[in-house]
Amino acid sequence: MIISVASGKGGTGKTTIAVNLALSLGDVQFLDCDVEEPNAHIFLKPRLTDERRIFVPVPEIDESKCTYCGKCREVCAFNAIAVLGGTGPGGGSVLVFPHLCHGCGACSIFCPEKAIKEIGREIGMVESGIRDGMGFVHGRLNVGEAMSPPLIRKVKERADSARTVIIDAPPGISCPVITAVEGSDFCLLVTEPTPFGLNDLVLAAGMLRELKIPFAVAVNRDGIGDGKVDDYCAGEKIPILMRIPFSKEIAGAYSRGEPAVSLFPELAGQFRDLFSRIRTVSGSS
Amino acid sequence: MKKIAVVSGKGGTGKTVVAASFAALPGSKVMVDCDVDAADLHLLLHPEVKERHEFRGGSTAVIDRGLCRQCGKCSAVCRFKAVKSGPRVERFFCEGCGLCARLCPYGAISMGETVSGEWFVSDTRRGPFVHARLGVAQGNSGRLVAQIRRAAERIAAEEKLEYVVIDGPPGIGCPVIASLSGVDCALVVTEPTLSGLHDARRVMETAAHFAIPVKLAVNKYDLNPEMSGEIEDFCRENGIQFAGRISFDPAVVEALSAGQTIIDSGNRTVGDEIRKIWELLIR
């Protein structure tokens, strides 16, 4: 079973819940798909045993064959290629903007002179390892790199279907999040009881409905703010599977990179209960 | 016109609370909410929408079943696994490259422009505000950010406003790069946690990559004063200007729940701390 932990708003406690759930269950695989800002390793401290650089395809132009016909520019939907002047070999120039390239392959397929081949451009790294019995994989996007989905897909390719897989997703509701949660059997949306938390929960719920992924809510920092998240969930019949009260002790443990269940072992039972509830509401018990 | 972006790397550190407070502090400005995925600034600025615009973020393949002969070419060439058997297009995965449409031997695929959100120019009692709503499960947030920033900068130029204040998204990817591009200064708001520092470092490296000057403030610093000290040390050692500390105060969430900025709520402690940061930014 693949369980993803997501939220519209950042900083609501996705990593806290994903990490503590994983530690309470023990025999799981953890995939940190927040490749822009991967944090789970701070808490899980896995022994990393494998590191792979990840590449995306970008065009390389062989200007000895190029006739500057402009076909590559014409078929590129992302304005990643510019062709300047020229008629014969060496008469003009072709500029490739690798950061705009989505790697669709259209330019090399349509080049009439077969002057384009695709080369790999590194966008980041997938690292994996273990912590006790737990499998751990995360991605780390290179600084300055705009597109995280190809790297997120590489992290997810490592999912072990024989195990319970827990995915820590990035915040938001667009491409990176969709890439991370797609294919999950269940998604837990973490929110906080504030107007910001509610506004972004509504957006994230809309995204999961579109993706047809069953979901429920966990309320973190319960006790701050107001009761409107509860009212919304009641009105929409979205189950609230867990509440973690706001506590300076839990916040303190988080700040030092210590998982709450290491400090308060009694919490592990609550996270195992959360897992049973997830199995019940997702119909996979 | 001075452009200031508020970013954080890690989500939930208080970017929007800080940016909304800046709106209530002296200086003429246009506010822009560039966290188009999870836009929240409107909850504190109470905009009155004056203009609505559609955001066309790209295109999606559309298959004409009448012309399709089920040859399977489209799904074979798609590198984004967006054309499933049937064939049908999974719009969440279609990046709009158009390769399938160009290669379909029966001309059964066309590219349809997608409306992937809306953006707004609004009035608030603090001045103009540009914001957006990305459609459910849409991509291209970076392009939407670039579009609303252009609109805000045009307003600032026309109305001769002193500042463009950008409330940025979390992370370091495409919408963050679009939020940082060409600004005069980025304020990184972080929290005194290991994750906060780890993520702030990544976004500061991103800003450095694009040669954007950075200042850093620690929000809720008293939740872990020791870690706050470490973050200040980090700034000192790396030549990053430390812009100030903001206290943890339940009054911040109370003001937020009442739809108020902390400045309007009359809270002096946090209000004054944010005011000092603003004065440093505009000095």
Side-chain angles (χ1 to χ4, degrees), chain B residues 50-90:
Chain B
K50 285 193 317 185
E51 293 173 28
R52 282 171 182 272
H53 302 268
E54 276 181 354
F55 168 60
R56 296 174 184 274
S59 54
T60 304
V62 183
I63 299 173
D64 182 334
R65 295 291 180 115
L67 295 173
C68 172
R69 306 273 287 272
Q70 309 263 346
C71 70
K73 179 111 188 170
C74 47
S75 59
V77 298
C78 178
R79 292 188 178 173
F80 310 109
K81 300 190 174 76
V83 192
K84 310 280 185 200
S85 64
R88 71 193 160 80
V89 177
E90 285 274 8

Side-chain angles (χ1 to χ4, degrees), chain A:
Chain A
M1 181 184 198
I2 302 177
I3 300 169
S4 50
V5 182
S7 71
K9 177 168 160 45
T12 55
K14 284 179 297 300
T15 301
T16 297
I17 288 193
V19 158
N20 286 292
L21 176 62
L23 288 170
S24 305
L25 297 175
D27 180 21
V28 298
Q29 186 194 30
F30 193 100
L31 305 182
D32 188 349
C33 287
D34 187 356
V35 302
E36 293 179 41
E37 296 291 15
N39 287 149
H41 69 99
I42 294 173
F43 300 90
L44 292 172
K45 302 175 183 68
R47 190 161 54 83
L48 296 174
T49 51
D50 183 59
E51 164 187 309
R52 296 179 197 178
R53 293 155 71 204
I54 302 301
F55 299 85
V56 292
V58 289
E60 186 180 60
I61 318 286
D62 178 349
E63 296 216 16
S64 70
K65 293 183 185 165
C66 178
T67 60
Y68 310 98
C69 69
K71 188 72 187 175
C72 51
R73 177 195 55 208
E74 180 200 320
V75 300
C76 178
F78 309 106
N79 302 314
I81 303 183
V83 181
L84 307 170
T87 47
S93 138
V94 181
L95 299 174
V96 175
F97 306 104
H99 284 85
L100 297 176
C101 175
H102 287 223
C104 70
C107 55
S108 62
I109 290 170
F110 284 100
C111 175
E113 311 301 331
K114 302 273 167 276
I116 302 181
K117 72 169 184 192
E118 291 180 272
I119 55 168
R121 186 173 71 84
E122 187 187 324
I123 56 162
M125 174 101 88
V126 171
E127 296 175 312
S128 58
I130 47 167
R131 147 145 192 169
D132 303 328
M134 186 193 304
F136 177 89
V137 186
H138 75 176
R140 191 176 269 283
L141 188 71
N142 285 349
V143 160
E145 201 57 58
M147 281 179 261
S148 59
L151 182 56
I152 296 172
R153 283 192 280 269
K154 288 292 179 189
V155 175
K156 290 182 70 182
E157 276 175 15
R158 305 283 288 278
D160 178 354
S161 56
R163 304 180 86 174
T164 296
V165 177
I166 295 174
I167 290 179
D168 191 4
I173 59 161
S174 67
C175 347
V177 190
I178 293 166
T179 309
V181 303
E182 181 269 328
S184 300
D185 299 295
F186 189 81
C187 182
L188 187 65
L189 286 178
V190 184
T191 190
E192 59 178 37
T194 65
F196 291 1
L198 173 61
N199 186 64
D200 302 348
L201 170 64
V202 174
L203 297 169
M207 172 190 76
L208 292 172
R209 284 185 180 129
E210 286 269 328
L211 292 169
K212 301 188 172 64
I213 296 173
F215 65 96
V217 164
V219 178
N220 192 19
R221 303 194 191 102
D222 198 25
I224 67 166
D226 54 37
K228 289 186 180 130
V229 164
D230 282 59
D231 297 346
Y232 166 76
C233 291
E236 297 280 321
K237 301 194 167 51
I238 300 169
I240 295 178
L241 301 188
M242 190 182 203
R243 292 173 192 276
I244 302 177
F246 175 76
S247 121
K248 283 202 170 178
E249 287 72 35
I250 293 178
Y254 178 90
S255 74
R256 297 185 298 272
E258 293 169 30
V261 291
S262 308
L263 224 63
F264 309 101
E266 66 276 14
L267 281 175
Q270 292 183 35
F271 281 99
R272 283 192 291 269
D273 287 348
L274 169 66
F275 183 62
S276 325
R277 290 191 198 107
I278 288 174
R279 288 173 68 95
T280 307
V281 300
S282 67
S284 58
S285 51

Side-chain angles (χ1 to χ4, degrees), chain B residues 135-148:
Chain B
V136 169
Q138 291 289 351
N140 272 317
S141 52
R143 230 194 273 182
L144 180 53
V145 167
Q147 193 152 356
I148 62 175

